[in-house]
Each structure stands twice: as C-alpha cells, then as structure tokens.
Amino acid sequence: MFSCRREVTPLLSERLDRPLLFREQTNLQLHLLACRSCRHYGKHVKTLSQLSKAFKKFDDGK
Ligand SMILES: [Zn+2]
C-alpha cells in the first residue's frame, strides 16, 4: 500500500503540472479508491490550483 503523505500527496500535486506515468496513474487511482483522506486532499489541491490560475489570469489582464 502507498504511504499517503510520502507518495500520494506529491503525485496529487504533480499531476496538475505534468502527465503522470501510467504506473503512477494506476497506483494513484487505486489508492484514491481506498483512501478517503487522499481523495479529499486531491480535490483540495485541484481547487487551489484552479484558484491560483484564475488569479494569474486576472493579473495578466491588467
Ligand atoms: Zn491515502
């Protein structure tokens, strides 16, 4: 089983910046099925990233 903090949370952030390897993707999906706190964290990270992108756009539009 994956270790949440050491292996899963970095992947959850990295997948927003780069495509994951097939193996990483598979492991991540399997883990997310079993682990509620990582699912929650993944949602959170995604929201944060969307927010920061939105702010960036706002800045550029000046
Ligand atoms: Zn987990």
Side-chain angles (χ1 to χ4, degrees):
M1 200 46 146
F2 263 110
S3 143
C4 296
R5 186 160 308 177
R6 229 186 41 233
E7 296 172 80
V8 180
T9 51
L11 284 182
L12 286 170
S13 325
E14 280 173 33
R15 72 168 173 180
L16 301 169
D17 299 323
R18 66 169 174 93
L20 296 183
L21 303 175
F22 181 72
R23 180 174 51 84
E24 292 173 326
Q25 185 78 255
T26 310
N27 285 336
L28 182 63
Q29 291 307 327
L30 279 177
H31 183 85
L32 290 179
L33 280 178
C35 183
R36 197 161 158 248
S37 60
C38 284
R39 276 205 302 273
H40 185 76
Y41 180 82
K43 241 186 225 170
H44 188 68
V45 166
K46 205 171 172 186
T47 309
L48 279 182
S49 136
Q50 280 165 351
L51 274 181
S52 76
K53 269 181 202 149
F55 276 121
K56 222 174 174 181
K57 223 178 187 175
F58 185 70
D59 271 352
D60 290 346
K62 255 189 246 171

